[in-house]
Amino acid sequence: MIIEKLIWIIGWITSYSLHKSRKMASHIVGYPRIGPKRELKFALESFWDGKSSAEDLQHVAADLRCSIWKQMASAGIKYIPSNTFSYYDQVLDTTAMLGAVPERYLFPGGEIEFDTYFSMVRGNASVPAMEMTKWFDTNYHFIVPELGPNTKFSYSSHKAVSEYKEAKALGIDTVPVFIGPVTYLLLSKPAKGVEKSFPLLSLLGNILPIYKEVIAELKAAGASWIQFDEPILVLDLDSHQLAAFSKSYSELKSSFSGLNVLMETYFADVPAEAYKTITSLNGISGYGFDLVRGTNTLDVIKSMGFPSGKYLFAGVVDGRNIWANDLAASINTLQALEAVVGKDKLVVSTSCSLMHTAVDLVNETKLDSEIKSWLAFAAQKVVEVNELAKALAGDKDEAFFSANAAAHASRKSSPRVTNDEVQKAASALKDSNHSRATNVSARLDAQQKKLKLPILPTTTLGSFPQTMELRRVRREYKANKITEEEYVKAIKEEINEVVKLQEELDIDVLVHGEPERNDMVEYFGEQLSGFAFTVNGWVQSYGSRCVKPPIIYGDVSRPKAMTVFWSSMAQNMTSRPMKGMLTGPVTILNWSFVRNDQPRSETCYQIALAIKKEVEDLEAAGVQVIQIDEAALREGLPLRKSEQSVYLDWAVHSFRITNCSVKDTTQIHTHMCYSNFNDIIHSIIDMDADVISIENSRSNEKLLTVFREGVKYGAGIGPGVYDIHSPRIPSTEEITDRINKMLAVLEAKILWVNPDCGLKTRKYAEVKPALTNMVAAAKLLRTQLASAE
């Protein structure tokens, strides 16, 4: 009876007729742009490989955009965003709009073409790519603008206007969306050769005229609303930074005549001072707030008031997770806001762009029916937004709300969510800090006696290129088209080839290449209890890179060993040390859709216990080097400084739990990438790993500044020597120069030589020469160091 009820709920949600919805006061901040089956990803890769033309890529993008606009219009959404579709990321699109192309790309001016646009992203044969980092506290990445006093700005991309006109031709009036000028500048960095103290906000006067040009064109095209995303407002801004908002929007005010302007914020609360600053701005018609992660925003609005006559865009539908909205709770929040701002000025919205969620639950034909009833992907969230707006307007769909309440009750009472044994074990962890018994210096000495590694040891960070043949083997095994024996044979052959290649290249510490894994988090989640998986739940990480985040719906445990079979097999193929490769608990947490019915720290401790058992089994199997990746540790750092220490305490503790019981001779590595690590360097030291490899080259050695400033690091460390997200092959001389910069601030005895990250996104034609040059650079410097002694 319960199952029949759940099937009815799912049927109601997925087959609900969008076409009957009326346009109420509803708004979507942004929408996934990859397509339900990764259409954009494949179009980009085909274009980059020279298999299709720019026109082919543009055609795929136009089809996706138009489909998204039509879907939202059919669902009854009133304020539909445009200019949120990007070939890579929205910050890079703003750089293109402003013509702020670094000189090394030789941009001749005019309209930016794909060659220049993608060279900034991927580099080319002559010059490296721009830095890439995380978009606030998400797993989405953006290309960091490089600016300085000599940057030449010009209106160089008319994308916002052309997309508005494209939607209008379909009969859909959209809200063009921009990264606001203050957020853009504060997310930028001084260009190479520019003083680090250069005041980026001094460039406001250079970029605001271009914003004015775009606004003028949109007004001429008939736009009635525009949206400025200013998420930087949720950070701890100083008075000078807040004053930049007053300056910017006062300057733009005359351009706003005849337009409605929405200022959108997301990812956290807007602090009281920032709230006071922006709500006093003239020329702004409405403000958007994240009421999901911004748990105190409602109180701020009630206590400080809201400007009369302005719209409040209430982000009550979660744009960062995939759980069905609690419609009853959202109605209560909306009614409380309605009492403050008035019925006609309240707009129901998502908390942020839906690009951080999967596209459509309808595509999930294999997902467990009970769990499926608890979920809402982007398409379902669009419906939730409009149903809330209708209910607020007195047109409540009782059946829809009843189905939602039943789904929430089902999730709350389901026995599959809770495991008392796991809860008890995780709770007991808080009684110890789980430090290793010996200090890192003594451990490194013990490990060196056993491993006998040369100075400047070389290694890679896990994955090797994922070929089409390898993907075919995994796909056919999952579809039961080949036997387990055939699958193991194919993967074993691939591992053997990767091991032989590394031996030929003379790499010191090897990896097995991870041919059995499509994704570092998905692989582990598939083998842990408490996780569910989708078929088409793809989310864009950057450009063509897409991931399928697992869904953590219940308590987590490890039923059996996950990697020991493959790691032991690989170690038996070589006499050199072979790393066991694991994903750490914090990264698994931050790269999953996490249950929202208990603190994230509790879930993380559960995952840590599961990984601890795997580490112990690897050690028992004779694996002497174990890498526990925590690529996403920095990503989960709360945006407000007052909340960061609590997160770092449990995140670092979770990592230490995983390896606290290993012998001194077992070497524990970890890896981090594509975030700003300088401000958490002391927490990284507290993780107490024996060796850490960390992204460094793409950010132009930014990591090294903390060591120049006096931070002492006693464990092994491998700042990346080349960027693996670019097809560009670095020369031996370039890598040697980079290592020499490291040796200027780090002792040779603790320095490792490795790429920035894993190699799965590259081709062997790029990997082989790059690693050849990396090993040659390490050997050259070993000789020089020996001569100096």
Side-chain angles (χ1 to χ4, degrees):
M1 190 69 186
I2 294 174
I3 296 299
E4 290 174 359
K5 178 69 173 175
L6 290 171
I7 292 171
W8 178 83
I9 293 168
I10 295 166
W12 175 264
I13 293 171
T14 55
S15 66
Y16 187 79
S17 174
L18 305 182
H19 297 280
K20 294 180 181 179
S21 300
R22 294 188 288 119
K23 283 183 170 55
M24 298 294 178
S26 51
H27 167 251
I28 304 298
V29 176
Y31 200 81
R33 52 201 180 225
I34 56 171
K37 296 188 177 177
R38 297 180 292 166
E39 291 89 339
L40 179 61
K41 168 190 170 65
F42 298 123
L44 281 167
E45 291 175 348
S46 177
F47 174 70
W48 291 336
D49 290 341
K51 297 177 181 177
S52 61
S53 66
E55 290 74 20
D56 294 330
L57 176 57
Q58 290 165 336
H59 181 72
V60 170
D63 283 350
L64 284 170
R65 284 194 301 268
C66 292
S67 173
I68 290 166
W69 291 327
K70 288 176 182 178
Q71 179 184 359
M72 284 191 271
S74 295
I77 300 300
K78 182 175 181 179
Y79 302 104
I80 296 171
S82 62
N83 198 37
T84 57
F85 189 95
S86 177
Y87 290 104
Y88 210 84
D89 79 75
Q90 65 271 35
V91 179
L92 182 65
D93 288 349
T94 308
T95 295
M97 181 185 82
L98 298 172
V101 181
E103 288 184 4
R104 65 181 177 276
Y105 300 109
L106 305 177
F107 174 52
E111 192 79 4
I112 282 187
E113 303 292 340
F114 278 155
D115 281 352
T116 301
Y117 184 91
F118 288 125
S119 287
M120 291 190 283
V121 166
R122 310 176 80 231
N124 56 45
S126 304
V127 293
M130 295 168 69
E131 180 182 352
M132 181 169 68
T133 196
K134 298 292 178 69
W135 177 244
F136 291 83
D137 59 347
T138 75
N139 188 30
Y140 185 72
H141 300 63
F142 72 94
I143 301 299
V144 181
E146 302 173 12
L147 307 177
N150 298 320
T151 300
K152 297 174 182 176
F153 295 97
S154 62
Y155 186 13
S156 300
S157 171
H158 292 68
K159 174 179 174 294
V161 178
S162 62
E163 286 189 15
Y164 174 79
K165 291 178 177 178
E166 185 179 33
K168 194 171 184 182
L170 299 172
I172 301 171
D173 187 32
T174 59
V175 180
V177 178
F178 302 92
I179 299 295
V182 182
T183 290
Y184 177 78
L185 290 179
L186 290 180
L187 291 179
S188 302
K189 70 174 186 178
K192 193 170 184 178
V194 175
E195 288 293 327
K196 299 302 179 188
S197 59
F198 173 72
L200 292 161
L201 288 174
S202 67
L203 297 173
L204 276 171
N206 301 61
I207 68 173
L208 291 178
I210 299 171
Y211 276 94
K212 288 180 180 180
E213 284 188 70
V214 184
I215 293 166
E217 287 192 8
L218 285 168
K219 283 203 294 187
S224 56
W225 277 87
I226 58 173
Q227 176 178 319
F228 286 98
D229 282 7
E230 293 281 14
I232 205 80
L233 280 160
V234 304
L235 302 187
D236 298 301
L237 302 181
D238 60 34
S239 58
H240 174 66
Q241 292 166 327
L242 289 175
F245 285 92
S246 301
K247 177 181 178 180
S248 299
Y249 289 92
S250 294
E251 176 70 21
L252 291 171
K253 182 186 172 187
S254 60
S255 303
F256 295 157
S257 177
L259 273 177
N260 289 297
V261 178
L262 166 63
M263 181 177 287
E264 183 68 51
T265 69
Y266 36 78
F267 298 152
D269 292 302
V270 174
E273 280 303 308
Y275 180 85
K276 182 180 177 181
T277 298
I278 62 172
T279 53
S280 63
L281 294 174
N282 293 318
I284 305 297
S285 311
Y287 302 92
F289 299 110
D290 183 339
L291 297 171
V292 177
R293 291 190 172 231
T295 53
N296 297 320
T297 299
L298 181 59
D299 291 336
V300 170
I301 293 170
K302 285 180 177 179
S303 63
M304 300 187 68
F306 192 77
S308 177
K310 303 291 179 77
Y311 290 87
L312 195 158
F313 287 67
V316 293
V317 173
D318 193 352
R320 293 275 297 270
N321 216 330
I322 42 69
W323 303 107
N325 186 266
D326 185 339
L327 298 178
S330 291
I331 284 293
N332 288 338
T333 299
L334 292 166
Q335 287 173 341
L337 288 169
E338 198 174 59
V340 177
V341 304
K343 198 177 193 73
D344 61 333
K345 296 298 181 183
L346 185 62
V347 180
V348 182
S349 183
T350 54
S351 65
C352 62
S353 172
L354 296 175
M355 65 186 249
H356 305 290
T357 68
V359 180
D360 196 342
L361 196 56
V362 171
N363 297 323
E364 300 307 323
T365 56
K366 296 182 180 180
L367 194 59
D368 176 277
S369 59
E370 182 182 29
I371 293 172
K372 191 173 181 178
S373 73
W374 303 341
L375 308 178
F377 290 178
Q380 287 69 48
K381 289 176 185 293
V382 168
V383 175
E384 289 178 338
V385 166
N386 205 54
E387 286 304 318
L388 285 166
K390 286 170 61 181
L392 208 60
D395 188 19
K396 183 179 180 182
D397 188 319
E398 295 292 350
F400 189 84
F401 273 68
S402 293
N404 177 266
H408 278 275
S410 162
R411 183 181 170 205
K412 191 173 183 179
S413 62
S414 175
R416 67 199 304 176
V417 171
T418 305
N419 181 322
D420 291 338
E421 186 178 334
V422 171
Q423 292 267 352
K424 190 179 297 183
S427 180
L429 293 172
K430 298 166 188 175
D431 297 333
S432 168
N433 66 6
H434 295 89
S435 297
R436 290 176 73 177
T438 312
N439 68 49
V440 68
S441 178
R443 298 198 308 263
L444 289 174
D445 287 343
Q447 292 155 15
Q448 179 57 18
K449 287 175 184 175
K450 191 166 187 178
L451 297 173
K452 297 179 172 59
L453 297 173
I455 197 87
L456 304 181
T458 55
T459 189
T460 65
L461 301 180
S463 60
F464 263 64
Q466 300 269 305
T467 63
M468 294 298 291
E469 174 63 16
L470 191 53
R471 295 178 190 277
R472 180 193 65 77
V473 168
R474 287 200 305 261
R475 188 168 58 248
E476 290 188 356
Y477 178 60
K478 280 196 170 185
N480 295 317
K481 292 181 179 179
I482 60 173
T483 65
E484 183 174 3
E485 184 179 354
E486 290 171 318
Y487 171 73
V488 170
K489 181 175 181 289
I491 297 298
K492 182 177 181 180
E493 288 173 356
E494 179 70 19
I495 292 173
N496 191 48
E497 289 299 314
V498 169
V499 171
K500 284 199 300 184
L501 173 61
Q502 291 172 93
E503 289 182 328
E504 289 168 7
L505 293 169
D506 205 15
I507 291 173
D508 299 303
V509 177
L510 311 189
V511 298
H512 76 289
E514 303 178 4
E516 79 283 13
R517 308 177 194 183
N518 177 61
D519 177 84
M520 61 188 287
V521 173
E522 183 180 353
Y523 175 80
F524 289 97
E526 284 177 336
Q527 301 181 78
L528 295 169
S529 64
F531 283 75
F533 290 86
T534 63
V535 174
N536 290 300
W538 296 101
V539 176
Q540 187 180 30
S541 180
Y542 56 85
S544 66
R545 171 73 172 142
C546 301
V547 294
K548 269 196 304 181
I551 299 166
I552 305 178
Y553 67 85
D555 290 335
V556 178
S557 61
R558 186 198 73 147
K560 61 180 181 179
M562 302 178 284
T563 66
V564 176
F565 175 77
W566 300 114
S567 292
S568 299
M569 176 190 291
Q571 182 63 81
N572 289 334
M573 294 176 180
T574 181
S575 60
R576 302 186 185 209
M578 172 67 64
K579 289 182 187 176
M581 298 299 304
L582 304 175
T583 303
V586 185
T587 296
I588 291 176
L589 182 88
N590 286 333
W591 286 357
S592 298
F593 290 126
V594 183
R595 57 189 293 190
N596 58 1
D597 59 344
Q598 71 175 15
R600 291 171 69 87
S601 57
E602 298 295 325
T603 304
C604 199
Y605 284 141
Q606 293 176 5
I607 302 170
L609 276 176
I611 300 300
K612 179 176 183 286
K613 292 179 180 179
E614 189 71 14
V615 168
E616 291 168 350
D617 283 353
L618 282 168
E619 184 183 52
V623 177
Q624 300 174 50
V625 182
I626 302 171
Q627 181 171 310
I628 308 168
D629 284 346
E630 283 296 12
L633 185 134
R634 174 61 173 78
E635 178 184 309
L637 189 71
L639 299 174
R640 304 290 285 282
K641 291 178 182 176
S642 61
E643 301 168 9
Q644 292 175 357
S645 62
V646 173
Y647 165 79
L648 288 169
D649 283 348
W650 62 256
V652 169
H653 187 191
S654 294
F655 176 82
R656 292 195 337 207
I657 287 166
T658 64
N659 59 87
C660 62
S661 60
V662 300
K663 302 171 187 173
D664 286 356
T665 50
T666 299
Q667 191 167 82
I668 299 296
H669 288 228
T670 191
H671 168 61
M672 298 180 182
C673 58
Y674 301 104
S675 289
N676 181 9
F677 299 105
N678 294 25
D679 56 348
I680 63 163
I681 190 65
H682 293 290
S683 293
I684 292 172
I685 293 170
D686 287 344
M687 291 170 71
D688 199 27
D690 296 311
V691 179
I692 180 170
S693 54
I694 196 162
E695 180 271 323
N696 172 68
S697 63
R698 183 147 185 172
S699 59
N700 199 28
E701 290 101 22
K702 181 166 61 178
L703 171 70
L704 300 185
T705 60
V706 298
F707 304 115
R708 294 189 189 105
E709 291 165 1
V711 171
K712 300 297 181 185
Y713 196 80
I717 184 167
V721 298
Y722 79 90
D723 174 25
I724 62 84
H725 286 297
S726 169
R728 181 175 171 272
I729 299 165
S731 66
T732 300
E733 293 73 21
E734 182 181 328
I735 295 174
T736 302
D737 179 63
R738 188 157 272 147
I739 299 172
N740 272 322
K741 290 179 182 177
M742 298 172 191
L743 288 168
V745 292
L746 294 165
E747 292 182 76
K749 68 178 183 179
I750 66 170
L751 189 61
W752 285 63
V753 177
N754 48 257
D756 265 350
C757 201
L759 303 170
K760 69 183 295 182
T761 61
R762 300 271 53 87
K763 297 176 177 142
Y764 274 105
E766 300 155 355
V767 165
K768 289 178 183 178
L771 291 180
T772 297
N773 293 345
M774 184 187 82
V775 172
K779 288 182 175 180
L780 175 64
L781 286 167
R782 286 174 196 160
T783 302
Q784 292 178 2
L785 288 169
S787 299
E789 289 178 359

